[in-house]
Amino acid sequence: MYNTSFIKKILLAATVVLLYSCDKDFNAIGEELIGDNHFDLVPEQYNVVAYNQEVTPVQSNGLPIYGLGVYDNPVFGTTTSNFVSQVALVAYAPTIGENPVIESVVLTVPYFSHITAADPNGGSIYALDSIYGPKTGAKIKLSVYESGAQMYTSDFSGGSQFAKLYYSDQDTNTPPEPGEVNFNTSKIGNRLNDAVTDKKEQNDNFFFDATQTKVEVDPTAAVKTYTYSAPQMHLDLNKAFFQAKILNAPAASLASQDVFQSYFKGLYFQAEKAEDGSVPNMALLDFLKSGGPAKITIKYKAKTAITTDPDATTEDKTLVINLTGAAASLLKDVKNPDYQTGITNVNKTTGDDRLYLKGGQGSLAVIELKDFASQLDQIRANKWLVNEANLVFYIDADKMKTAEREPKRVYLYDLDNNTIIADYVDNTTSATNPKQNRSVFGGVITVDATTKRGTSYKVRITKHIRNLIKDASIKNVRLGLAVTEGIDVIASNKLKLKNDIISEAPRGSVMGPLGTILYGNNVSDADAAKKLKLEIYYTKPN
C-alpha cells in the first residue's frame, strides 16, 4: 500500500511539473525555434509599407575596396568611379645615393582574380573577378595624376577628434563646398601614365588584363627563368616627374610620414570612356591590400659615394612608394529617366509599386511593418509561437531583363539605428564564397534554372519578429534594404545631406555599382502574386 501511494504521489507531481512546463513554453512567446519545416502550415500574411529612398552624396572613404572605371548599366544609367589616395614611402629618410638616374617607374595595382587552368608555358591562366561590364573587349581612358589636395585621416572640431569624411561627389568640375576639397580640379600637371603611342593600353585604351604577371629572374642568365604572379595593373609612369619629385627631393621632404604626405599628397585616378567609342567597364580593386597594396616601384642607378670620378662604382637601387592612408571613391551618376522617376516620386504613406536598389551613390528601400505591429496584442493574447518569419522580395524580371549583372546579395538592417537586426547573428559560412556567408539570415539571390536570371531574395527575420512579440517595450523600427558587396560588412557611411528618413547608408552598398528592381507592396492586381508581404508561420495552441 505504501509503495502504491508513493508512486501515485510521484506521478501527480510529475504531471504538475509537465503542465507547468507547457504553460511556461506558451508564455515565453516566440522564445524557441519550433523547426525549419512548416508542417504544411499556411503562413499568416501581413501587409507592409515599402518605399524608395535616394542615397545622396555619401561618405566614400574607409572602404575595403574601391571601384575604378565606367559602368554602363542599361537599367540604371552610367556610373563613373574615380579614386584618390595618399601615398607613403616604405622606408623614410632613404639613402638615395649620388647622381641618381631613374631606370623605370612602374605603378602596380592588384586585381581580384582566380586561377582557371595551368598555363602550358608556365604559371597559370586567370579570370578576373569583380568586373562590371564586358570582361573582354572593353576599354577606358585612364589618367593618373599627382593629387594637389591634402588628405587627412582625422579632423578636429570643438576640441574633439573625429574621423575625416570624404564624400562621393567631391569630384565635380564645380567649386567645392566650404571646408571640402575638389579632387578633380585639384589635380596637378599632366597625367603621369603618359606612355608613347605604341603603349596606349596604358592610358587612352586601357583595359583590365587577365594575363598573369611574368618577370624574368636574371636577364643575363643563359637559361631563362621566370616568376609568375596573379594579374595586376601595370603602368609605366613619367620618369622625369619622379626624378625631380623623389630622387632629387630635399632630404627633409622624405624624412617622415607627415612631412612626405604634405610634400607628395597622393595620386588621383580618373576614368573616362575611351575616345574610340569602345564599351567601357569597371573593376573593384584592392588598392590598399594589407601586405601587398598598390605601389610605385622606382628603379634607378646611383653612385655609392660622393666623388667626381665618372668611373666610380654605381649600384642598382629600388625605392617603393605604397598607396596607403586616406583614400576615397569618387562617383558620378547619369541616371536613366525611369530610375530617376522611381526614386523621386515616392509614396511614403501607402508604399511604392517598385523598389529600386542600387549601390554607390544610389538608392535603397525603406520597409515599415505597420500591419503586423497593429496586431501584436492579439498575437500575444493568442499565445502563438513563431516558427519562421520571412520577407520575400520578387525581382521584376521584365525591367531587369537587359541588366548585364544582378546583385548576388541584399542586406536587411535596422534603418532607424543603422545597425543589424537579431537574425543577422548567423554563423553559417562558405569556404569558397564569402558572399554566401550567413545563408540562414538570407538575402541570397534565387536564380531560375532555365533563364539563369534572378527571381527573388528571401530574408529571414524570425528573431526580429519574436523579439517584438516577446517584449512590448521594443520599438518596431523601420527596416532598410540595400544591395551589398560584402554581407560581413555591417558599418554604415554618413550621408552629406541627411533627412528624416536616412542619415547613413550601408558601407557594403557604397562599395559596388550593381542594382536591382523589386516588386513593392503597392502593386497592381496583375502583380498581386509578387506583392511584398511579411509571412509568418505560427504554431498555435489548441
Side-chain angles (χ1 to χ4, degrees):
M1 178 67 70
Y2 173 82
N3 289 340
T4 302
S5 176
F6 178 76
I7 292 173
K8 287 181 178 179
K9 290 178 181 179
I10 292 296
L11 289 175
L12 178 61
T15 301
V16 170
V17 170
L18 178 61
L19 290 174
Y20 171 77
S21 298
C22 292
D23 183 69
K24 183 179 178 182
D25 283 342
F26 281 114
N27 278 287
I29 300 296
E31 184 73 23
E32 300 296 333
L33 179 66
I34 303 302
D36 284 335
N37 65 63
H38 302 136
F39 305 105
D40 297 322
L41 298 175
V42 177
E44 297 285 337
Q45 296 186 339
Y46 301 90
N47 291 322
V48 304
V49 175
Y51 51 90
N52 292 292
Q53 178 63 54
E54 181 176 6
V55 174
T56 54
V58 61
Q59 174 198 347
S60 60
N61 62 320
L63 304 179
I65 54 177
Y66 294 87
L68 181 65
V70 181
Y71 181 43
D72 275 340
N73 188 324
V75 178
F76 292 92
T78 299
T79 297
T80 300
S81 184
N82 297 332
F83 174 73
V84 64
S85 174
Q86 286 182 308
V87 293
L89 289 170
V90 169
Y92 288 97
T95 301
I96 300 295
E98 296 300 314
N99 301 319
V101 177
I102 280 188
E103 300 281 295
S104 65
V105 185
V106 176
L107 169 66
T108 53
V109 181
Y111 293 156
F112 289 107
S113 62
H114 64 276
I115 296 173
T116 60
D119 188 334
N121 298 315
S124 303
I125 296 173
Y126 289 84
L128 298 184
D129 302 320
S130 299
I131 299 292
Y132 302 93
K135 290 192 174 183
T136 59
K139 299 176 185 177
I140 60 172
K141 180 180 179 180
L142 177 62
S143 302
V144 181
Y145 294 93
E146 177 188 8
S147 175
Q150 182 71 60
M151 299 184 76
Y152 301 94
T153 56
S154 60
D155 205 355
F156 293 87
S157 178
S160 299
Q161 184 176 6
F162 303 92
K164 178 66 176 177
L165 304 184
Y166 295 96
Y167 294 96
S168 54
D169 68 338
Q170 289 183 231
D171 196 40
T172 62
N173 291 312
T174 57
E177 295 183 12
E180 288 188 353
V181 296
N182 184 314
F183 292 104
N184 183 293
T185 57
S186 297
K187 61 184 184 287
I188 299 174
N190 299 320
R191 65 180 174 184
L192 300 176
N193 56 322
D194 57 351
V196 293
T197 304
D198 63 342
K199 287 191 175 182
K200 278 195 170 184
E201 70 276 5
Q202 296 197 17
N203 42 52
D204 289 350
N205 295 321
F206 175 84
F207 63 97
F208 298 103
D209 191 354
T211 305
Q212 66 182 343
T213 299
K214 178 180 177 181
V215 178
E216 190 175 352
V217 175
D218 183 0
T220 63
V223 178
K224 302 298 182 183
T225 58
Y226 303 91
T227 59
Y228 301 92
S229 57
Q232 60 183 346
M233 181 187 296
H234 185 289
L235 300 180
D236 295 312
L237 301 186
N238 186 282
K239 292 188 288 186
F241 171 85
F242 284 92
Q243 178 78 46
K245 190 74 177 181
I246 304 298
L247 298 190
N248 297 345
S253 298
L254 311 182
S256 67
Q257 178 175 314
D258 290 344
V259 173
F260 181 73
Q261 290 184 337
S262 178
Y263 171 70
F264 187 9
K265 296 178 176 62
L267 293 181
Y268 169 76
F269 293 72
Q270 184 178 51
E272 303 169 86
K273 290 189 176 182
E275 294 175 355
D276 66 1
S278 300
V279 176
N281 64 359
M282 179 189 298
L284 295 186
L285 302 176
D286 205 358
F287 279 103
L288 311 181
K289 182 178 181 181
S290 176
K295 62 185 178 181
I296 302 167
T297 302
I298 302 173
K299 293 186 176 181
Y300 67 100
K301 292 183 180 294
K303 294 181 180 180
T304 56
I306 299 176
T307 178
T308 57
D309 182 1
D311 298 322
T313 302
T314 62
E315 64 175 308
D316 294 323
K317 304 192 75 172
T318 299
L319 189 149
V320 177
I321 303 172
N322 284 341
L323 274 66
T324 187
S329 185
L330 306 166
L331 304 172
K332 300 176 185 175
D333 277 323
V334 179
K335 297 180 175 66
N336 280 358
D338 287 348
Y339 173 45
Q340 181 68 64
T341 300
I343 61 175
T344 303
N345 298 334
V346 176
N347 190 332
K348 299 177 184 178
T349 304
T350 59
D352 292 334
D353 66 334
R354 297 295 186 273
L355 303 177
Y356 293 82
L357 313 184
K358 182 185 176 297
Q361 187 179 306
S363 54
L364 51 83
V366 182
I367 300 157
E368 300 182 8
L369 308 181
K370 294 180 178 180
D371 187 18
F372 170 73
S374 68
Q375 300 182 53
L376 279 171
D377 288 340
Q378 180 184 357
I379 295 168
R380 295 185 188 108
N382 290 339
K383 299 181 180 180
W384 292 354
L385 294 174
V386 174
N387 185 21
E388 184 175 322
N390 300 306
L391 287 170
V392 181
F393 301 89
Y394 291 96
I395 299 170
D396 189 329
D398 185 57
K399 290 183 180 294
M400 287 293 294
K401 65 183 178 183
T402 59
E404 177 260 338
R405 288 181 64 178
E406 296 176 276
K408 301 298 183 186
R409 200 77 186 258
V410 295
Y411 169 57
L412 189 76
Y413 66 103
D414 174 347
L415 182 139
D416 285 348
N417 299 294
N418 294 301
T419 189
I420 60 173
I421 62 173
D423 296 82
Y424 180 87
V425 183
D426 164 16
N427 294 323
T428 55
T429 60
S430 169
T432 58
N433 185 359
K435 289 187 178 182
Q436 298 290 330
N437 290 350
R438 306 180 191 277
S439 58
V440 174
F441 175 48
V444 180
I445 192 170
T446 300
V447 177
D448 184 272
T450 302
T451 65
K452 307 302 182 184
R453 304 292 296 185
T455 59
S456 63
Y457 302 89
K458 183 175 80 170
V459 183
R460 182 174 295 189
I461 59 171
T462 307
K463 295 177 183 177
H464 178 73
I465 293 299
R466 286 179 185 157
N467 288 342
L468 291 174
I469 297 172
K470 180 180 177 182
D471 188 346
S473 67
I474 292 179
K475 180 184 177 183
N476 181 28
V477 297
R478 293 172 298 182
L479 303 175
L481 185 74
V483 297
T484 183
E485 281 292 331
I487 192 61
D488 294 324
V489 178
I490 61 173
S492 292
N493 283 19
K494 305 288 186 182
L495 297 188
K496 180 189 288 188
L497 306 173
K498 303 174 179 60
N499 58 40
D500 61 341
I501 303 297
I502 60 172
S503 60
E504 301 178 9
R507 182 168 296 174
S509 177
V510 180
M511 286 158 50
L514 291 181
T516 189
I517 303 176
L518 310 173
Y519 287 92
N521 69 288
N522 195 6
V523 298
S524 66
D525 291 341
D527 297 323
K530 296 181 178 179
K531 175 181 177 179
L532 173 61
K533 298 180 291 291
L534 169 62
E535 297 182 347
I536 303 179
Y537 293 88
Y538 293 104
T539 295
K540 303 177 181 180
N542 295 325

